Amino acid sequence: MIDKNIIIDVLGKALSTGGDFSEVFIEDTQRSSLGLVDGKIETAVSGRDFGIGIRIFKDFRSIYAYTNDFSKEGLMKTAEEAALALGNLKESASINLFERVNKNSHPILFVPKAINTDKKVAKLKEAYKVAKEYSSEIIQVVSSYSDVDQNIIIANSEGLFTGDRRIRTRFMIQAIAGDGKENQIGYEAPGRSKGFEIFDEIDVIECGKAASAVAVKMLHAPLCPSGEMPVVIDNGFGGVIFHEACGHSLEATAVAKGNSEFADKLGERIASEKVTAIDDGTISNAWGSINIDDEGTPSNKNILIEKGILKGYMIDKLNGRRMKMNPTGNSRRQSYKYAPTSRMTNTYIASGNDENDHIISSMDYGLYAKKMGGGSVNPVTGEFNFAVLEGYLVKNGKVDTPVRGATLIGKGSDILLKIDMVGKHLDFAAGMCGSISGAVPTNVGQPMIRVSQITVGGRE
Amino acid sequence: MDIKDFRDKLFERAKKEGFLDYEIYYVNGNSFRVTVYEGEIDQYSVNTDRGLSFRGLYGDKMGYSYTEILDDEALEMLIKNAKENAMAIEDEDIEIIYEGKDIYPNVNSYNEELEKVDASEKINLALRLEKETKAKSKKIKTVDDCIVASGRGERYISNSKGLDLRHVSNIIYAMVSAVVEEKEKVNTAYSFKVTNDIEEIDTEKLAEKAVTEALSYLGAKSLSSGKYKVIIRNDVMADILGTFWGIFSAYNVQKGMSLLKDKSGENIASDVITLIDDPLLEKGLASVPFDDEGVAAYTKDVIKNGVLMTYLYNLKTAKKDGVKSTGNAAKASYASSMGTSPSNFYIKPGNNDLQGLFKNMGEGVFITEVQGLHSGANAVSGDFSLGAKGFLIKNGAVERPIEQITIAGNFYTLLHDVVELGSDLEFGIPSGNSCFGSPAVLIKELSIAGK
């Protein structure tokens, strides 16, 4: 994309004011998306993002600059401007680069570009048809297909010169049920680090049915009760509880400056002993997977919590300096427009020994949260929230009536200790996680779990 | 390649390839951001960026494509992709390339003085903000996210029908988050100021606001679940409005995704509510002379004394309803296809100050923070259930801080349940094409979940 000698000059220029580390991130990304509304393709957009990010460290300070101007003059000027934030210009540093080729754990069969638009459209229509015909109460179905083909090169003053290609495909369907007075929705949005072969694994017809089923069910469901109660959270997207209640607070971004309730707690018990939690960016073709992170560190399987004991954090280079710890392959960014920082990849609670039936029947009165939406957290205080999209009351150990969505809230350090049952069937679900380095694809996951007590934000 | 040269070459190719009408939408800008930590620069960034979106009518379908490089290869890619994308479109509602013979209002959202402010001045501003925040209280644990950022952005629209419009704006903002600690309990609060006049950033005031609020939460406890009268603070209500504005979009109405269908001229809110979309607002952070299709922007009441006056239209949705565009065409980013969004969108303030609202409420809950708006609120159903913080109000005065509660309700119902508005109109941080504002609102009843 850009001549290696220019990269060498840029890295050197970036260190001309006393910086001790410089890095270049070059991105060339092709994206395409299709949107189907009312059974017809309404939007079709495609294009190319291209830019270069230059980063410089001096001790704990970090300087970042990006540009779309990829001429040598443009790049040198950007490097100089960034460097000037650290002091006066002196001589450029001399840099040697050594190319590293990484193992590809996420092979792609069908590159998105090689697939005809018609085939992509056909998938959207198949799903639309079943979703729309599911019930006369389905008043609208919106679905979309999107793919990304991201090519990156990373080079730094330590001599690293490497790259990665990340191909991802995602399908989304949202069904809306309405009776003129009220609307309710259901949705499915699976994604993988795959090309068009994603549809060998993902059945769009099942997705369409599932989305409509939830929308119709929720239209007739009573409001959710409120207050503290035991809650069973199902597998797959249920893992959002760990992502919000704990995951973000284990990112070096929060930990390095002590702005996390889990800072300085390595080796201590922070969760019930049923909880083992892992961040694993190496899972083959998973939505949140990467071969290398956006600083070039190979992706890793990192144990965060083992049987309730805090074992590790997710660490990027800069925060690693402050923490005096090595990077863990978690430094990520949305694009060249963001400096990377520690983020999650595929984060999950590992399988336990409890049977699903037993978990449900253990509750006299509580909520069974079958489908979850997104959430958020304030890592400093640990206050988190996440949404239940499909819930059921449990009475006397049996699943009773469906109830409408509600948000669950708590404090991470408190809730992790209250996870008292963990099932056997681990599953994952795709999401986009937004934080200071932008929106990155992450998987959440878990088997069915029970939280002995959590605040349910219902309306009854 | 220079943008005008690129446009000329691109238009020539587009014509040759059989596009009937075509347009470029080009943005370019630069930005600056500094974060300080413990008296030193922590993160610093300077950026320039640009992006070009092309759209063209191929047959009667509009194809879109975009690029961030302006070279010959990109030119070919734009034409090829736009053509392919046009051929995929099946929607029968026709998108329009606008002639733009409007008379455009004068909107001044560019302050030349701001461009003269150099980096060191902005760094010093951030350092001062951190220092003053720290000095406010002995209970400060850390000062987090102490940021000063600025940016300049230009939007240029040019098409084959002769439209050629340019708008430049700039902005600076300062933000600080205070972390306070007492008896091992931690609380946070932040404050910010967005403007294009650096003189308006009062670091002392920002420090005071963040620290006072963070301290005021110390000792907060939950509350018994139940129905309560609620006052939602101005900035929080502005964020909620920003989550639900989509119900006013003509597109959502036409597609059945808003329950305001056929409600024009009807009471959809309490009669104290007047909701305004004002792209010409003096010092408005989303003020523009024209929308993203080049239609002249103008001020309108969306709700007047509780009555729905209009939806927000772009050219396509207006044509479908047989009305005129309200000048609300918007792209979510330069790369997106054409959608709709409000500009400065706010609830007109009432006459009473906050203390007055407390007195009128007597007993209830004052909500000062909500969390999870992106997940716990759904614009299609209007339902919301949000993590929240605030204060218990008794006998018209603050009794104690509250945390670990949720507020839940439905936005359509909430509009009807507004009893009184405060006089304290406040705008939030602008995002995309929009900036949302509201005074504090007193609401008859919301469900609160706690203990």
Side-chain angles (χ1 to χ4, degrees), chain B residues 102-105 107 155 277-280 286-291 294-300 326-328 343:
Chain B
D102 297 359
I103 296 163
Y104 295 98
V107 170
R155 182 170 60 124
D277 180 56
D278 186 4
L280 311 182
S287 292
V288 282
F290 54 86
D291 72 5
V295 173
Y298 68 95
T299 306
K300 73 221 66 113
T326 54
N328 288 97
S343 59

Side-chain angles (χ1 to χ4, degrees), chain A residues 244-317:
Chain A
E244 303 300 353
C246 185
H248 280 293
S249 306
L250 296 180
E251 292 169 342
T253 321
V255 177
K257 292 177 186 166
N259 290 333
S260 160
E261 55 173 351
F262 301 124
D264 303 319
K265 295 259 167 85
L266 278 181
E268 291 180 30
R269 169 166 304 282
I270 65 163
S272 103
E273 59 182 35
K274 295 247 181 183
V275 177
T276 290
I278 295 160
D279 181 85
D280 186 358
T282 69
I283 301 171
S284 190
N285 295 101
W287 176 247
S289 292
I290 41 182
N291 286 310
I292 55 169
D293 73 5
D294 290 334
E295 292 174 340
T297 306
S299 180
N300 229 323
K301 178 175 182 175
N302 296 304
I303 309 283
L304 304 174
I305 297 173
E306 193 173 15
K307 294 183 175 156
I309 307 295
L310 179 60
K311 290 287 179 181
Y313 300 112
M314 291 166 278
I315 306 168
D316 59 290
K317 275 186 193 275

Side-chain angles (χ1 to χ4, degrees), chain A residues 42 64 68 125 257 336 407, chain B residues 42 44 68 90 251 385:
Chain A
E42 188 174 284
Y64 193 71
N68 318 107
K125 291 198 167 168
K257 292 177 186 166
Y336 70 89
T407 284
Chain B
D42 183 38
Y44 180 97
E68 292 178 348
E90 298 163 320
Y251 176 83
S385 166

Side-chain angles (χ1 to χ4, degrees), chain B residues 13 24 72 104 161 253 261 267-269 316 375 417 439:
Chain B
R13 287 284 295 137
I24 58 161
D72 288 318
Y104 295 98
K161 285 187 167 171
V253 173
K261 194 176 175 165
N267 260 306
I268 60 151
K316 177 172 152 180
S375 53
D417 286 350

Side-chain angles (χ1 to χ4, degrees), chain B residues 5-251:
Chain B
D5 292 342
F6 189 83
R7 176 200 60 186
D8 293 345
K9 269 188 152 177
L10 182 65
F11 281 8
E12 200 179 302
R13 287 284 295 137
K15 193 172 182 179
K16 221 176 262 169
E17 290 291 325
F19 284 93
L20 302 173
D21 276 306
Y22 30 86
E23 182 172 271
I24 58 161
Y25 180 99
Y26 176 68
V27 292
N28 78 82
N30 51 56
S31 60
F32 168 94
R33 189 174 195 268
V34 63
T35 310
V36 298
Y37 182 65
E38 294 187 339
E40 286 199 49
I41 293 177
D42 183 38
Q43 289 167 34
Y44 180 97
S45 79
V46 276
N47 310 302
T48 58
D49 64 340
R50 64 177 179 210
L52 180 137
S53 167
F54 170 77
R55 60 174 184 154
L57 268 179
Y58 193 75
D60 58 354
K61 309 295 186 205
M62 191 75 80
Y64 282 81
S65 54
Y66 70 90
T67 182
E68 292 178 348
I69 315 182
L70 308 183
D71 61 11
D72 288 318
E73 196 192 328
L75 206 140
E76 291 308 313
M77 183 274 288
L78 286 173
I79 298 286
K80 183 175 162 276
N81 284 2
K83 205 187 239 185
E84 272 174 22
N85 289 331
M87 290 193 287
I89 302 289
E90 298 163 320
D91 184 26
E92 286 117 23
D93 301 331
I94 294 171
E95 267 192 49
I96 297 156
I97 299 274
Y98 193 55
E99 278 178 42
K101 296 212 168 110
D102 297 359
I103 296 163
Y104 295 98
N106 224 339
V107 170
N108 185 11
S109 30
Y110 184 70
N111 177 3
E112 254 171 63
E113 292 302 310
L114 183 57
E115 297 305 307
K116 293 180 196 153
V117 178
D118 64 13
S120 63
E121 202 173 328
K122 294 175 212 172
I123 294 165
N124 286 334
L125 187 70
L127 290 169
R128 199 162 73 231
L129 179 57
E130 190 197 36
K131 201 173 152 199
E132 286 170 358
T133 305
K134 223 170 221 171
K136 285 284 163 202
S137 165
K138 287 210 173 77
K139 290 178 185 162
I140 303 250
K141 189 181 172 220
T142 52
V143 175
D144 193 17
D145 291 334
C146 183
I147 301 167
V148 170
S150 63
R152 179 192 153 282
E154 177 184 345
R155 182 170 60 124
Y156 174 62
I157 311 174
S158 181
N159 69 34
S160 57
K161 285 187 167 171
L163 181 116
D164 200 66
L165 295 171
R166 197 170 159 266
H167 179 68
V168 192
S169 60
N170 58 5
I171 205 169
I172 181 163
Y173 76 88
M175 181 184 146
V176 68
S177 170
V179 181
V180 298
E181 189 173 24
E182 189 181 70
K183 294 175 198 153
E184 287 187 14
K185 289 261 282 183
V186 185
N187 270 292
T188 63
Y190 71 96
S191 64
F192 67 88
K193 174 73 186 176
V194 195
T195 169
N196 67 9
D197 181 358
I198 193 168
E199 299 297 323
E200 286 183 2
I201 297 177
D202 183 341
T203 50
E204 185 63 35
K205 211 165 137 187
L206 289 175
E208 177 72 30
K209 191 170 175 230
V211 175
T212 310
E213 184 172 336
L215 289 172
S216 70
Y217 292 133
L218 287 172
K221 290 193 297 266
S222 189
L223 186 70
S224 307
S225 305
K227 309 258 186 197
Y228 290 82
K229 280 192 236 173
V230 168
I231 292 169
I232 301 178
R233 197 171 71 186
N234 52 10
D235 57 328
V236 177
M237 188 61 199
D239 286 347
I240 292 175
L241 183 63
T243 303
F244 287 105
W245 75 265
I247 67 169
F248 300 103
S249 148
Y251 176 83

